[in-house]
mmCIF file of all heavy atoms in Angstrom:
data_model
loop_
_atom_site.group_PDB
_atom_site.id
_atom_site.type_symbol
_atom_site.label_atom_id
_atom_site.label_comp_id
_atom_site.label_asym_id
_atom_site.label_seq_id
_atom_site.Cartn_x
_atom_site.Cartn_y
_atom_site.Cartn_z
ATOM 1 N N PHE A 625 8.947 -15.813 9.600
ATOM 2 C CA PHE A 625 9.086 -14.477 9.134
ATOM 3 C C PHE A 625 8.146 -13.619 9.946
ATOM 4 O O PHE A 625 7.212 -14.139 10.695
ATOM 5 C CB PHE A 625 8.707 -14.309 7.684
ATOM 6 C CG PHE A 625 9.825 -14.702 6.790
ATOM 7 C CD1 PHE A 625 10.299 -15.997 6.656
ATOM 8 C CD2 PHE A 625 10.441 -13.751 5.965
ATOM 9 C CE1 PHE A 625 11.315 -16.341 5.748
ATOM 10 C CE2 PHE A 625 11.474 -14.106 5.095
ATOM 11 C CZ PHE A 625 11.877 -15.389 5.017
ATOM 12 N N SER A 626 8.275 -12.342 10.018
ATOM 13 C CA SER A 626 7.404 -11.378 10.749
ATOM 14 C C SER A 626 6.018 -11.439 10.184
ATOM 15 O O SER A 626 5.766 -11.848 8.993
ATOM 16 C CB SER A 626 7.999 -9.970 10.645
ATOM 17 O OG SER A 626 7.836 -9.506 9.355
ATOM 18 N N ASP A 627 5.065 -11.110 11.038
ATOM 19 C CA ASP A 627 3.620 -10.962 10.615
ATOM 20 C C ASP A 627 3.529 -10.036 9.476
ATOM 21 O O ASP A 627 2.769 -10.288 8.573
ATOM 22 C CB ASP A 627 2.830 -10.596 11.828
ATOM 23 C CG ASP A 627 2.718 -11.595 12.898
ATOM 24 O OD1 ASP A 627 3.179 -12.666 12.698
ATOM 25 O OD2 ASP A 627 2.147 -11.281 13.966
ATOM 26 N N GLU A 628 4.148 -8.929 9.515
ATOM 27 C CA GLU A 628 4.075 -7.912 8.406
ATOM 28 C C GLU A 628 4.505 -8.523 7.123
ATOM 29 O O GLU A 628 3.895 -8.299 6.098
ATOM 30 C CB GLU A 628 4.958 -6.727 8.773
ATOM 31 C CG GLU A 628 4.869 -5.594 7.738
ATOM 32 C CD GLU A 628 5.725 -4.432 8.112
ATOM 33 O OE1 GLU A 628 6.418 -4.449 9.109
ATOM 34 O OE2 GLU A 628 5.707 -3.417 7.358
ATOM 35 N N ALA A 629 5.680 -9.301 7.101
ATOM 36 C CA ALA A 629 6.065 -9.931 5.847
ATOM 37 C C ALA A 629 5.095 -10.905 5.334
ATOM 38 O O ALA A 629 4.835 -11.044 4.144
ATOM 39 C CB ALA A 629 7.415 -10.510 6.076
ATOM 40 N N GLN A 630 4.515 -11.766 6.242
ATOM 41 C CA GLN A 630 3.563 -12.731 5.801
ATOM 42 C C GLN A 630 2.278 -12.099 5.249
ATOM 43 O O GLN A 630 1.761 -12.545 4.219
ATOM 44 C CB GLN A 630 3.187 -13.610 7.014
ATOM 45 C CG GLN A 630 4.388 -14.505 7.402
ATOM 46 C CD GLN A 630 4.010 -15.423 8.648
ATOM 47 O OE1 GLN A 630 3.022 -15.147 9.309
ATOM 48 N NE2 GLN A 630 4.744 -16.387 8.871
ATOM 49 N N ASP A 631 1.835 -11.043 5.922
ATOM 50 C CA ASP A 631 0.602 -10.327 5.519
ATOM 51 C C ASP A 631 0.793 -9.745 4.111
ATOM 52 O O ASP A 631 -0.104 -9.777 3.259
ATOM 53 C CB ASP A 631 0.211 -9.283 6.448
ATOM 54 C CG ASP A 631 -0.406 -9.813 7.766
ATOM 55 O OD1 ASP A 631 -0.930 -10.943 7.673
ATOM 56 O OD2 ASP A 631 -0.298 -9.147 8.759
ATOM 57 N N ARG A 632 1.970 -9.157 3.878
ATOM 58 C CA ARG A 632 2.134 -8.490 2.613
ATOM 59 C C ARG A 632 2.190 -9.525 1.450
ATOM 60 O O ARG A 632 1.577 -9.318 0.401
ATOM 61 C CB ARG A 632 3.485 -7.716 2.581
ATOM 62 C CG ARG A 632 3.745 -7.009 1.328
ATOM 63 C CD ARG A 632 4.989 -6.305 1.185
ATOM 64 N NE ARG A 632 5.181 -5.773 -0.162
ATOM 65 C CZ ARG A 632 6.393 -5.227 -0.572
ATOM 66 N NH1 ARG A 632 7.452 -5.267 0.178
ATOM 67 N NH2 ARG A 632 6.405 -4.749 -1.831
ATOM 68 N N VAL A 633 2.793 -10.658 1.663
ATOM 69 C CA VAL A 633 2.866 -11.703 0.615
ATOM 70 C C VAL A 633 1.470 -12.225 0.373
ATOM 71 O O VAL A 633 1.122 -12.473 -0.781
ATOM 72 C CB VAL A 633 3.874 -12.805 1.015
ATOM 73 C CG1 VAL A 633 3.781 -13.985 0.064
ATOM 74 C CG2 VAL A 633 5.280 -12.287 1.001
ATOM 75 N N SER A 634 0.738 -12.501 1.444
ATOM 76 C CA SER A 634 -0.612 -13.022 1.337
ATOM 77 C C SER A 634 -1.501 -12.067 0.570
ATOM 78 O O SER A 634 -2.251 -12.428 -0.360
ATOM 79 C CB SER A 634 -1.180 -13.306 2.692
ATOM 80 O OG SER A 634 -2.382 -14.112 2.506
ATOM 81 N N ARG A 635 -1.386 -10.724 0.787
ATOM 82 C CA ARG A 635 -2.205 -9.747 0.156
ATOM 83 C C ARG A 635 -1.853 -9.594 -1.288
ATOM 84 O O ARG A 635 -2.693 -9.427 -2.149
ATOM 85 C CB ARG A 635 -2.165 -8.416 0.907
ATOM 86 C CG ARG A 635 -2.755 -8.490 2.349
ATOM 87 C CD ARG A 635 -2.918 -7.154 2.943
ATOM 88 N NE ARG A 635 -3.907 -6.326 2.231
ATOM 89 C CZ ARG A 635 -4.270 -5.124 2.647
ATOM 90 N NH1 ARG A 635 -3.789 -4.636 3.744
ATOM 91 N NH2 ARG A 635 -5.164 -4.435 1.875
ATOM 92 N N GLU A 636 -0.602 -9.576 -1.599
ATOM 93 C CA GLU A 636 -0.088 -9.486 -2.935
ATOM 94 C C GLU A 636 -0.456 -10.767 -3.810
ATOM 95 O O GLU A 636 -0.758 -10.641 -4.935
ATOM 96 C CB GLU A 636 1.407 -9.254 -2.960
ATOM 97 C CG GLU A 636 1.872 -7.908 -2.512
ATOM 98 C CD GLU A 636 1.370 -6.765 -3.410
ATOM 99 O OE1 GLU A 636 1.086 -6.978 -4.623
ATOM 100 O OE2 GLU A 636 1.115 -5.656 -2.841
ATOM 101 N N PHE A 637 -0.368 -11.925 -3.109
ATOM 102 C CA PHE A 637 -0.779 -13.104 -3.783
ATOM 103 C C PHE A 637 -2.265 -13.025 -4.218
ATOM 104 O O PHE A 637 -2.676 -13.356 -5.338
ATOM 105 C CB PHE A 637 -0.528 -14.328 -2.897
ATOM 106 C CG PHE A 637 -1.087 -15.630 -3.418
ATOM 107 C CD1 PHE A 637 -0.633 -16.169 -4.579
ATOM 108 C CD2 PHE A 637 -2.070 -16.287 -2.707
ATOM 109 C CE1 PHE A 637 -1.118 -17.390 -5.063
ATOM 110 C CE2 PHE A 637 -2.560 -17.465 -3.225
ATOM 111 C CZ PHE A 637 -2.142 -17.979 -4.385
ATOM 112 N N SER A 638 -3.092 -12.592 -3.275
ATOM 113 C CA SER A 638 -4.455 -12.417 -3.580
ATOM 114 C C SER A 638 -4.698 -11.464 -4.759
ATOM 115 O O SER A 638 -5.491 -11.668 -5.717
ATOM 116 C CB SER A 638 -5.239 -11.914 -2.360
ATOM 117 O OG SER A 638 -6.593 -11.512 -2.652
ATOM 118 N N ALA A 639 -3.967 -10.295 -4.698
ATOM 119 C CA ALA A 639 -4.175 -9.320 -5.760
ATOM 120 C C ALA A 639 -3.638 -9.778 -7.115
ATOM 121 O O ALA A 639 -4.273 -9.509 -8.182
ATOM 122 C CB ALA A 639 -3.371 -8.019 -5.389
ATOM 123 N N TYR A 640 -2.538 -10.535 -7.193
ATOM 124 C CA TYR A 640 -2.039 -11.057 -8.457
ATOM 125 C C TYR A 640 -2.915 -12.151 -9.031
ATOM 126 O O TYR A 640 -3.157 -12.198 -10.247
ATOM 127 C CB TYR A 640 -0.605 -11.540 -8.348
ATOM 128 C CG TYR A 640 0.435 -10.462 -8.430
ATOM 129 C CD1 TYR A 640 1.223 -10.107 -7.386
ATOM 130 C CD2 TYR A 640 0.693 -9.860 -9.674
ATOM 131 C CE1 TYR A 640 2.175 -9.057 -7.422
ATOM 132 C CE2 TYR A 640 1.669 -8.874 -9.745
ATOM 133 C CZ TYR A 640 2.387 -8.491 -8.652
ATOM 134 O OH TYR A 640 3.386 -7.468 -8.753
ATOM 135 N N ILE A 641 -3.491 -12.949 -8.140
ATOM 136 C CA ILE A 641 -4.472 -13.954 -8.622
ATOM 137 C C ILE A 641 -5.708 -13.255 -9.256
ATOM 138 O O ILE A 641 -6.233 -13.580 -10.302
ATOM 139 C CB ILE A 641 -4.868 -14.910 -7.537
ATOM 140 C CG1 ILE A 641 -3.730 -15.881 -7.199
ATOM 141 C CG2 ILE A 641 -6.119 -15.712 -7.894
ATOM 142 C CD1 ILE A 641 -3.484 -16.902 -8.286
ATOM 143 N N ALA A 642 -6.181 -12.217 -8.522
ATOM 144 C CA ALA A 642 -7.323 -11.455 -9.077
ATOM 145 C C ALA A 642 -6.979 -10.810 -10.344
ATOM 146 O O ALA A 642 -7.779 -10.722 -11.242
ATOM 147 C CB ALA A 642 -7.762 -10.460 -8.062
ATOM 148 N N GLU A 643 -5.773 -10.238 -10.453
ATOM 149 C CA GLU A 643 -5.310 -9.587 -11.783
ATOM 150 C C GLU A 643 -5.364 -10.507 -12.885
ATOM 151 O O GLU A 643 -5.703 -10.122 -14.017
ATOM 152 C CB GLU A 643 -3.826 -9.109 -11.530
ATOM 153 C CG GLU A 643 -3.232 -8.389 -12.685
ATOM 154 C CD GLU A 643 -1.843 -8.075 -12.461
ATOM 155 O OE1 GLU A 643 -1.510 -7.576 -11.312
ATOM 156 O OE2 GLU A 643 -0.992 -8.117 -13.348
ATOM 157 N N MET A 644 -5.136 -11.794 -12.655
ATOM 158 C CA MET A 644 -5.143 -12.795 -13.774
ATOM 159 C C MET A 644 -6.590 -13.012 -14.281
ATOM 160 O O MET A 644 -6.741 -13.633 -15.362
ATOM 161 C CB MET A 644 -4.485 -14.111 -13.252
ATOM 162 C CG MET A 644 -3.029 -14.027 -13.018
ATOM 163 S SD MET A 644 -2.333 -15.655 -12.672
ATOM 164 C CE MET A 644 -2.451 -16.429 -14.223
ATOM 165 N N THR A 645 -7.595 -12.627 -13.455
ATOM 166 C CA THR A 645 -8.978 -12.831 -13.930
ATOM 167 C C THR A 645 -9.583 -11.623 -14.549
ATOM 168 O O THR A 645 -10.718 -11.659 -15.002
ATOM 169 C CB THR A 645 -9.865 -13.246 -12.712
ATOM 170 O OG1 THR A 645 -9.923 -12.160 -11.806
ATOM 171 C CG2 THR A 645 -9.263 -14.427 -11.915
#
Side-chain angles (χ1 to χ4, degrees):
F625 282 66
S626 68
D627 292 352
E628 182 181 3
Q630 292 179 342
D631 285 336
R632 184 184 174 193
V633 171
S634 192
R635 295 189 66 176
E636 289 298 332
F637 172 63
S638 170
Y640 274 112
I641 286 290
E643 179 182 323
M644 294 186 68
T645 66

